[in-house]
Amino acid sequence: IQNIKVNHFLSLHKRHNRCLQLLSSLESEDVYNIAQEQYKDSITMTDRIVTFDILENSSDELSSFTQKDFYAKYKNDSLTMNKYFSIVASSKRAGLLQRVISLQDDSAYDEKVPNLVRSLIGSFTRNYNNFHAKDGSGYKFVADKIIEIDTINAQMAAGLAGAFKIYEKMNAINKNAMKKELERVASTQTLSKNVYEIISKILK
């Protein structure tokens, strides 16, 4: 009976969180207030992460509070910080690229740890609006990281290079911006064989 009650409780929480996520698309202050209260009163990590994600995409004021609080609580927990970096790098708020760049200097981030790189840089490459910014800034940033990380972990760099595989499907503006960065990466003399092969195939 106790297990049934626990499972029922968890099921209700999942539904509640899903509803809250759907409602957040309305960008309503009322919904954000509910999310903020749930964050403060959360009794499970799932509740806290869901509301952290919602508030990260709300306003600078609300996101600032949850970022600072979440960071203070979990900065020494590497597994949870993976989620932190992923949520921040997936944000739709303006100025994301600069925030991602700044996070690389955070004491909780280590470019030598693959999971942290996937969480921060990898999540950024899946952030459509920012990675595919018309000015090419997203492409340049990731290209720089591929070249840099390739000297540390060629396999990780190759994984990041895979973000450019959408090249052929892009519009003319983005395709040209992407090509410029891909050719720059390919021309790097110290580039590993794995990364070079991936970039070369994309450009064919």
Side-chain angles (χ1 to χ4, degrees), residues 46-64:
T46 299
D47 287 352
R48 182 158 288 161
I49 286 175
V50 166
T51 48
F52 174 33
D53 189 15
I54 290 171
L55 294 169
E56 174 59 32
N57 288 280
S58 59
S59 67
D60 290 344
E61 182 181 356
L62 292 176
S63 62
S64 177

Side-chain angles (χ1 to χ4, degrees), residues 20-21 24 28-41 47-67 69-70 87-88 91-93 99:
L20 198 56
Q21 286 173 318
S24 67
S28 162
E29 185 175 342
D30 290 336
V31 176
Y32 291 147
N33 287 337
I34 293 172
Q36 189 173 31
E37 287 304 311
Q38 176 169 309
Y39 178 85
K40 292 177 180 177
D41 301 333
D47 287 352
R48 182 158 288 161
I49 286 175
V50 166
T51 48
F52 174 33
D53 189 15
I54 290 171
L55 294 169
E56 174 59 32
N57 288 280
S58 59
S59 67
D60 290 344
E61 182 181 356
L62 292 176
S63 62
S64 177
F65 165 76
T66 48
Q67 267 196 41
D69 184 77
F70 195 93
I87 289 173
V88 175
S91 176
K92 301 300 185 293
R93 287 189 298 115
R99 293 199 297 278

Side-chain angles (χ1 to χ4, degrees), residues 115-141:
N115 284 340
L116 289 173
V117 174
R118 291 188 191 98
S119 296
L120 184 63
I121 313 301
S123 293
F124 177 81
T125 66
R126 295 186 292 276
N127 190 325
Y128 192 89
N129 290 335
N130 287 279
F131 179 53
H132 297 292
K134 293 294 183 183
D135 63 0
S137 57
Y139 301 147
K140 182 181 184 305
F141 169 68

